[in-house]
Amino acid sequence: MTITTFDHKLSSFTHNIYDVNFFGDRIRTLVTNSPSMVESCILEIELIHRKRLGRLIVGLDAEHHPNFNYKNEHPIATLQLCVGHRCLIFQMIHAPDIPQCLEDLLLNDKYSFVGVKVGEDVENLERSYNLSVGNAIDLRTLAAEQVQVFGMNMMELKQAGLKDLSERILGKKLEKPKQTRLSNWDDRKLSSDQVQYACLDAFVSFEIARILKTNPAYSFKHSSSQRLVPVNGLVILVSSSVCLEAPIRVACLYRHRIVGHGSLVLAYSSRFLDWLVIPEDLGSILLRGRAQLGDQALLGGGHHREMRRWAFRGGHWGLYFGFGGEIKRLCLVLRWRWLDVRQCCPTHNIYDVTFFGDRIRTLATNSPSMVESWISEIEFIHRKRLGRLIVGLYTEHWYPIATLQLCVGHRCLFFHMIHTSSIPQALKNFLLNKSYSFVGFKVEEGLKRLEKVYNLSVGNVIDLTTLAAQVLGRDMEESKKAGLEDLCEKVLRKKVAKKKVVEFIGRGISSDQLNGVAERKNRTILNMVRSMLKDKNMPNSFWAEAVLCAVYLLNRCPTNSLDTKTPQEAWSSHKPSVSHLRVFGSIAYIKVPEARRTKLEDKGEKCILVGYGDRTMGYRLYNPVTKKVIFSRDVIFEENESWNWDQTKASRSAELIPEEETREVATEP
DNA sequence: CCCTCTGTGGAAATTTAGTT
DNA sequence: AACTAAATTTCCACAGAGGG
């Protein structure tokens, strides 16, 4: 047992002493209703901690009879104070009077009284006993501000309870049984469960506050048994336009666990912090596989809004979708990037991005030393015009800044700041250099974050819109409104004399430009998905499969942009076969192998086609009865038929099957 | 030009977790 | 059981883009 209580069973009516053991911490607890005992206990505590009276942290909590009926409010029954391994449980409701020294203690504003929802307790104390507390700090606010993950504040802790905080920050599981919580706190003789509950409430509050105060910017590192991965988000990375159907890499980091391999199972994530794009080089924690199907469709309406918010915050997402249902409000972000993520070395990679004949050599890295060498290389190449060097600057900012992109001439740097160990001094100096002009498009927000998160400031920033307005001599307003894409087109087409503008646009556009393509593609795909689902009258919850299927098909359709080649061909240089394609949502019968079949079993399993195999030839089939996705090659199709979904729904509601649906994605055979 | 769809911002409504 | 605060979802109105 990690939590135990030992009752000393003192024979006194007015007080008793317990030893509460909490993961090796023994907390000596005095339970009393006598003011004199309280007085002596406070004196003792002040004596023990006499050296740090100036900044003493006191865990504070109060219990009262549960409000089963709101009309009669119950006064506070017990007040718990905890400092170090001493805890005082004062049964105020049975005390003849309140000792003066308690009053003074609470009023002393050198002490911080911490607790979850301490404000209410304080209010209650004031109302019932006319006691006011000088300096009360709500633990949740403290935690939210102090606990940082990759520089982000864990704002979600604002709503966490003590149990949650204890688990996350102390790594210790605090039991708060409802039975005890709602027990009768007015009793003169508290049960040992109650004592334990009351004591631990205060102690854990104290302990959390102590840890938070002593380690500011506490960052989840200390747990020994589990690997604490602090982001409960999920990230999908998809490389170029062809790659959407390629195995989606999913990093699912929830609380301490990385769940599953192959299929993603997130039990619960109603609140997640933020997206975090995890570059390939963290391959060890990237899982391969498809996320599970959700219950709720997120195409249009409803959750869509949610998607938008995140997507917007993330900057320039190409394609984004969300999952609902079982995976609660977990969103998937699919993104088209110009970056080729297929070949990645742990710390850096080099890409050649071609933009209308300009080949831009791009270094993507998270290693400070690589950044340093990039900078020195640039400074060497352009050594003759260091005095008036123009640097294209762009930040892909979700929170905090994830990448910083710099571009000079045909060299581009893609710095994953969020995954870097340190910011090299060379970069700091580079950015601060007054003789360089950093040209950016709408980078104010990014710069702000740069400054805030990484303490990097940029010396000489020129906003592209302003510059363009000046150079083009057009109506300022019009140019200011123009997007980068717009600007690019105008400037390039008009062949404006000022070459520098052209130059920067040529470089800086890379990600934006192609994102535009992705955004357009998004629509096409959504249209396809909609019609696919409607045609076979499938429930919207299949949108994810439909999207994958649509992309699969698109990749096998010739497009003009590739000289009427299919994307698949462009990617893998051999013509894709289309003979195996079948109508999405049609009925499929899986042949059960003779050997595995008993005499009475059905010959085939009736399923619905929901997609194609990732790598290997085959079909993904959904069995509406077992609600599982199966992967199979040996299938017979009835393309004209479709599943009667209405009937399934009706029978489901009639049987009142509980809502838990464990869908699985079968691993490849 | 009209129609449809999507994106956006704000407000209101609803849900959720936490408290005793 | 009752209540609160925060988070999330829904709703509404409107603008802008793109297809026909």
Side-chain angles (χ1 to χ4, degrees):
Chain A
M1 274 294 276
T2 41
I3 305 175
T4 52
T5 311
F6 177 74
D7 191 346
H8 283 251
K9 291 194 177 144
L10 300 189
S11 51
S12 158
F13 281 118
T14 57
H15 66 277
N16 195 359
I17 289 179
Y18 296 84
D19 277 346
V20 179
N21 224 324
F22 181 66
F23 292 92
D25 284 317
R26 209 190 60 197
I27 307 130
R28 170 135 307 190
T29 310
L30 171 70
V31 181
T32 182
N33 59 5
S34 114
S36 59
M37 285 301 293
V38 171
E39 225 163 286
S40 67
C41 182
I42 288 175
L43 283 179
E44 193 187 337
I45 286 175
E46 288 191 332
L47 183 70
I48 295 173
H49 299 277
R50 61 190 174 278
K51 283 190 187 158
R52 54 198 120 143
L53 283 185
R55 55 199 161 75
L56 199 65
I57 298 166
V58 184
L60 177 108
D61 193 26
E63 318 287 336
H64 58 76
H65 192 80
N67 282 329
F68 288 119
N69 187 351
Y70 181 57
K71 277 163 204 159
N72 40 356
E73 276 196 13
H74 296 274
I76 287 183
T78 66
L79 174 74
Q80 300 101 264
L81 296 173
C82 181
V83 185
H85 285 178
R86 296 300 174 118
C87 182
L88 167 70
I89 300 181
F90 181 29
Q91 296 177 283
M92 301 180 86
I93 204 157
H94 299 299
D97 60 296
I98 308 293
Q100 183 61 38
C101 80
L102 179 64
E103 229 167 281
D104 294 343
L105 178 86
L106 291 175
L107 268 176
N108 193 334
D109 56 3
K110 279 185 192 158
Y111 302 164
S112 337
F113 293 91
V114 294
V116 171
K117 279 216 168 179
V118 77
E120 261 176 36
D121 288 340
V122 166
E123 227 173 76
N124 225 334
L125 269 177
E126 180 129 23
R127 204 173 42 230
S128 326
Y129 298 95
N130 206 13
L131 277 173
S132 50
V133 177
N135 183 17
I137 301 173
D138 195 317
L139 209 51
R140 295 184 294 182
T141 325
L142 186 70
E145 282 166 7
Q146 290 284 325
V147 177
Q148 294 198 345
V149 168
F150 290 142
M152 304 190 267
N153 287 344
M154 298 271 289
M155 276 317 178
E156 66 157 16
L157 289 180
K158 259 196 158 163
Q159 214 192 324
L162 191 61
K163 190 177 137 203
D164 222 19
L165 285 175
S166 159
E167 211 174 316
R168 284 175 178 229
I169 293 170
L170 301 180
K172 295 167 184 172
K173 205 163 179 165
L174 175 66
E175 296 291 337
K176 296 192 81 171
K178 203 169 181 178
Q179 207 182 338
T180 319
R181 165 180 294 184
L182 298 180
S183 59
N184 188 6
W185 290 97
D186 292 353
D187 262 1
R188 191 166 274 271
K189 172 95 175 75
L190 293 177
S191 72
S192 72
D193 274 350
Q194 281 175 316
V195 171
Q196 177 180 311
Y197 180 98
C199 163
L200 289 184
D201 251 12
F203 174 71
V204 169
S205 297
F206 165 80
E207 191 71 4
I208 290 171
R210 188 180 64 83
I211 284 184
L212 290 180
K213 286 247 174 176
T214 44
N215 318 339
Y218 182 78
S219 61
F220 282 116
K221 268 181 194 154
H222 67 290
S223 171
S224 54
S225 60
Q226 287 165 314
R227 174 169 176 175
L228 288 177
V229 187
V231 185
N232 41 357
L234 150 117
V235 175
I236 303 295
L237 248 235
V238 184
S239 68
S240 63
S241 63
V242 197
C243 233
L244 195 66
E245 60 149 288
I248 297 174
R249 290 177 183 105
V250 181
C252 155
L253 315 167
Y254 178 63
R255 289 259 185 99
H256 323 160
R257 306 175 290 162
I258 297 171
V259 189
H261 179 95
S263 63
L264 169 74
V265 182
L266 249 198
Y268 183 66
S269 82
S270 72
R271 282 172 281 146
F272 49 86
L273 291 177
D274 222 328
W275 297 111
L276 190 75
V277 167
I278 299 192
E280 289 289 279
D281 48 52
L282 291 183
S284 57
I285 56 166
L286 287 179
L287 309 178
R288 295 172 124 250
R290 270 174 215 275
Q292 287 190 330
L293 273 188
D295 265 358
Q296 271 172 295
L298 294 156
L299 300 180
H303 298 252
H304 194 100
R305 169 64 192 256
E306 176 70 4
M307 295 306 98
R308 185 184 65 196
R309 195 196 299 167
W310 292 105
F312 188 68
R313 203 157 154 192
H316 310 274
W317 302 105
L319 246 184
Y320 40 88
F321 301 100
F323 278 75
E326 228 175 322
I327 304 173
K328 245 194 159 181
R329 266 166 274 146
L330 174 77
C331 304
L332 251 174
V333 174
L334 306 180
R335 176 160 196 241
W336 254 292
R337 312 199 330 168
W338 55 275
L339 241 165
D340 181 355
V341 291
R342 282 185 313 165
Q343 27 173 322
C344 231
C345 116
T347 56
H348 66 278
N349 197 4
I350 292 179
Y351 308 92
D352 279 346
V353 180
T354 312
F355 180 73
F356 292 102
D358 282 321
R359 209 189 59 196
I360 307 131
R361 171 135 303 190
T362 305
L363 171 72
T365 182
N366 64 354
S367 112
S369 60
M370 286 302 291
V371 173
E372 249 166 72
S373 67
W374 183 84
I375 290 173
S376 59
E377 193 186 336
I378 288 293
E379 289 188 334
F380 179 74
I381 295 174
H382 299 278
R383 59 193 175 279
K384 284 188 186 161
R385 53 198 123 133
L386 283 184
R388 52 197 166 75
L389 197 66
I390 297 162
V391 185
L393 173 87
Y394 196 78
T395 56
E396 297 267 342
H397 47 83
W398 32 98
Y399 192 83
I401 287 195
T403 64
L404 173 71
Q405 293 145 51
L406 294 174
C407 186
V408 187
H410 282 177
R411 297 296 176 119
C412 184
L413 172 73
F414 198 99
F415 186 27
H416 289 287
M417 299 190 75
I418 199 167
H419 292 293
T420 191
S421 47
S422 64
I423 307 291
Q425 188 60 37
L427 181 64
K428 282 184 190 173
N429 296 341
F430 185 75
L431 290 177
L432 272 175
N433 196 325
K434 286 272 179 199
S435 54
Y436 303 159
S437 335
F438 291 88
V439 196
F441 181 78
K442 299 210 169 152
V443 284
E444 300 92 340
E445 178 71 2
L447 289 177
K448 250 189 247 161
R449 290 181 180 189
L450 263 184
E451 179 125 22
K452 204 168 144 195
V453 182
Y454 296 100
N455 202 13
L456 277 174
S457 50
V458 181
N460 185 11
V461 190
I462 300 173
D463 189 57
L464 195 59
T465 42
T466 330
L467 185 65
Q470 282 170 7
V471 172
L472 298 173
R474 282 186 201 194
D475 184 9
M476 292 279 282
E477 289 304 307
E478 195 192 327
S479 292
K480 275 194 174 170
K481 268 187 210 162
L484 191 51
E485 203 178 331
D486 219 22
L487 215 56
C488 168
E489 211 179 297
K490 272 184 200 162
V491 177
L492 282 176
R493 201 192 294 149
K494 298 269 173 178
K495 298 278 177 208
V496 175
K498 293 281 179 181
K499 215 182 160 200
K500 57 183 178 183
V501 179
V502 183
E503 251 183 26
F504 169 70
I505 293 172
R507 314 292 170 264
I509 197 95
S510 51
S511 58
D512 256 39
Q513 175 80 24
L514 289 163
N515 262 319
V517 178
E519 271 153 30
R520 182 65 196 84
K521 204 83 184 171
N522 185 7
R523 235 176 105 168
T524 320
I525 294 174
L526 290 190
N527 285 340
M528 280 180 80
V529 167
R530 212 166 294 120
S531 49
M532 281 159 69
L533 292 177
K534 283 285 164 262
D535 180 47
K536 291 289 181 184
N537 200 17
M538 309 252 298
N540 281 347
S541 50
F542 283 96
W543 67 268
E545 293 291 346
V547 166
L548 287 171
C549 187
V551 173
Y552 185 89
L553 295 175
L554 279 177
N555 284 338
R556 281 156 185 77
C557 293
T559 81
N560 274 334
S561 59
L562 291 170
D563 291 334
T564 67
K565 272 197 283 187
T566 66
Q568 180 74 24
E569 196 176 344
W571 185 258
S572 61
S573 76
H574 54 79
K575 268 195 181 169
S577 141
V578 290
S579 57
H580 65 286
L581 300 184
R582 296 286 182 273
V583 179
F584 180 83
S586 52
I587 298 286
Y589 295 93
I590 305 177
K591 282 188 198 161
V592 180
E594 295 275 343
R596 246 196 278 157
R597 201 167 74 205
T598 57
K599 272 184 188 170
L600 291 174
E601 225 169 316
D602 284 346
K603 269 202 170 180
E605 205 176 326
K606 196 174 178 185
C607 296
I608 297 160
L609 174 69
V610 291
Y612 301 90
D614 273 345
R615 284 282 159 90
T616 48
M617 215 43 170
Y619 302 98
R620 292 165 53 73
L621 305 159
Y622 175 73
N623 187 333
V625 181
T626 58
K627 299 201 180 90
K628 285 188 176 173
V629 174
I630 314 156
F631 186 88
S632 172
R633 267 171 252 218
D634 212 358
V635 187
I636 297 168
F637 287 99
E638 299 269 357
E639 290 190 66
N640 295 327
E641 283 184 30
S642 61
W643 187 268
N644 188 351
W645 287 101
D646 301 332
Q647 200 184 15
T648 323
K649 263 185 210 160
S651 67
R652 195 203 286 179
S653 55
E655 286 170 35
L656 281 173
I657 294 173
E659 271 198 32
E660 59 175 78
E661 286 175 43
T662 46
R663 288 206 187 105
E664 270 175 27
V665 177
T667 46
E668 287 170 7

